[in-house]
Amino acid sequence: DESLWMAESQHIPYRGHAQAGANAELKSLFRKLARLYCTPSEVIIVFDGPAKPAIKRGTHVIKTPPWLTEPFKHFAQTLGFAVHDAAGEAEAELAVLSHSGVIDAVITEDSNALVFGASHVFWSDPGCPDNIIVYSADNIQRHGEVMLSDGGLLLMALLCSGDYHDGLPGCGWKTARGLVQYGVGDNLLQEARAHSLTSSHEGLKDYICGWFCRLQEILVKDPLGHIGQRHPKFLNNVPDSFPDVSVVLAYVKPPTSVQPVSHDSHLFIHSKVLDLENLAYLCEFHFCWSRYTPPGPLQDYIWPGICIRVLLEVRPACVYYHAALF
């Protein structure tokens, strides 16, 4: 998630900042890009667009891109990566591309990508950056200890809080997973998808009223024992507006600039080859790395990737990185 990259790069410890060299924040981002370049993959970086939510987790979102955005894009394009600005949230845009088969996977630490419909999500292991954790929507649905369908993921997001709301007060993930087993998430998703195609959402509001009565009944009685215990106390904590129609549609029909109809990646991905001369210039301009004193830091970061791509001599398998900005 590029928002995390941006945040991390701008919080370099003060004591180490003087030894980090010129433009330490941008240099941190460049190292991450170089790491991606040294994988046998074709990369597209997607940034948040103007239609992203104004408020996330109760905080107003600053829609002005950080100062690092433009130089970051320059480095990405010079490395040959495709760069794209989404209509709204980048993870939603990438989820559509993933679900349509245009891309193979999304690298992000934002679990909303799965709720939005991504088929495969790669997550860097915090304990070991060389390890990648792979989440597959099919495996999440089939695994006996998980068993979360698309509707189940939506219900988990609504009950356990997310970017757009606070969830159901007092509801933890175990209770939420028990509710998922009753199929109420799939029912809500099916109805929300049908109503998302219409301009009026009154029909969805009416459906949610009846749907929530069913949810309350399950909480109170737990007729099949999926939850493990009854929860009549929730009736006193549930707001009348839960779940808000706008929140449901934010997950089901987020704004995107691509349509889930084409499987031709060439219509969307316009990656290029490495522009080594321009990259050397950018590193000299931003980091004061001399282009005329080899071997230098640039060689250390880029040379393994150049060797990998020369050895392959074929178009690399597609792996895509999600870049979401505040």
Side-chain angles (χ1 to χ4, degrees), residues 12-26:
I12 297 175
Y14 180 79
R15 288 186 178 180
H17 198 281
Q19 286 75 38
N23 270 325
E25 298 86 355
L26 184 58

Side-chain angles (χ1 to χ4, degrees), residues 123-169:
W123 193 344
S124 296
D125 186 346
C128 181
D130 289 332
N131 292 340
I132 296 294
I133 303 172
V134 180
Y135 293 95
S136 163
D138 287 341
N139 289 339
I140 289 173
Q141 183 169 355
R142 291 197 303 261
H143 195 285
E145 296 182 5
V146 184
M147 297 178 65
L148 291 176
S149 61
D150 291 343
L153 289 169
L154 171 63
L155 186 60
M156 290 287 289
L158 292 172
L159 293 173
C160 298
S161 83
D163 288 342
Y164 316 122
H165 60 102
D166 295 328
L168 187 63

Side-chain angles (χ1 to χ4, degrees), residues 132-245:
I132 296 294
I133 303 172
V134 180
Y135 293 95
S136 163
D138 287 341
N139 289 339
I140 289 173
Q141 183 169 355
R142 291 197 303 261
H143 195 285
E145 296 182 5
V146 184
M147 297 178 65
L148 291 176
S149 61
D150 291 343
L153 289 169
L154 171 63
L155 186 60
M156 290 287 289
L158 292 172
L159 293 173
C160 298
S161 83
D163 288 342
Y164 316 122
H165 60 102
D166 295 328
L168 187 63
C171 183
W173 69 267
K174 291 184 179 180
T175 301
R177 185 181 177 277
L179 285 167
V180 166
Q181 308 312 309
Y182 284 95
V184 287
D186 294 321
N187 296 337
L188 178 61
L189 177 60
Q190 180 179 356
E191 196 72 18
R193 282 175 173 170
H195 284 87
S196 68
L197 303 176
T198 64
S199 57
S200 174
H201 301 142
E202 292 302 320
L204 181 57
K205 290 181 181 179
D206 294 339
Y207 172 81
I208 286 179
C209 289
W211 175 87
F212 187 60
C213 289
R214 169 61 176 156
L215 190 73
Q216 288 178 311
E217 181 183 353
I218 294 172
L219 282 169
V220 172
K221 298 180 179 179
D222 190 20
L224 300 180
H226 292 316
I227 302 175
Q229 68 180 91
R230 299 173 181 177
H231 290 281
K233 63 179 181 178
F234 280 124
L235 298 183
N236 300 323
N237 300 330
V238 179
D240 296 335
S241 60
F242 182 87
D244 189 279
V245 172

Side-chain angles (χ1 to χ4, degrees), residues 3 5 25 30 45 95 97 109 116 122 139 159 186 193 203 208 213 218 274 282-283 315 323:
S3 62
W5 278 17
E25 298 86 355
F30 168 70
I45 303 180
L97 294 171
E109 295 179 10
F116 287 136
F122 291 176
N139 289 339
L159 293 173
D186 294 321
R193 282 175 173 170
I208 286 179
C213 289
I218 294 172
L274 169 70
L282 289 175
C283 289
R315 184 175 181 177

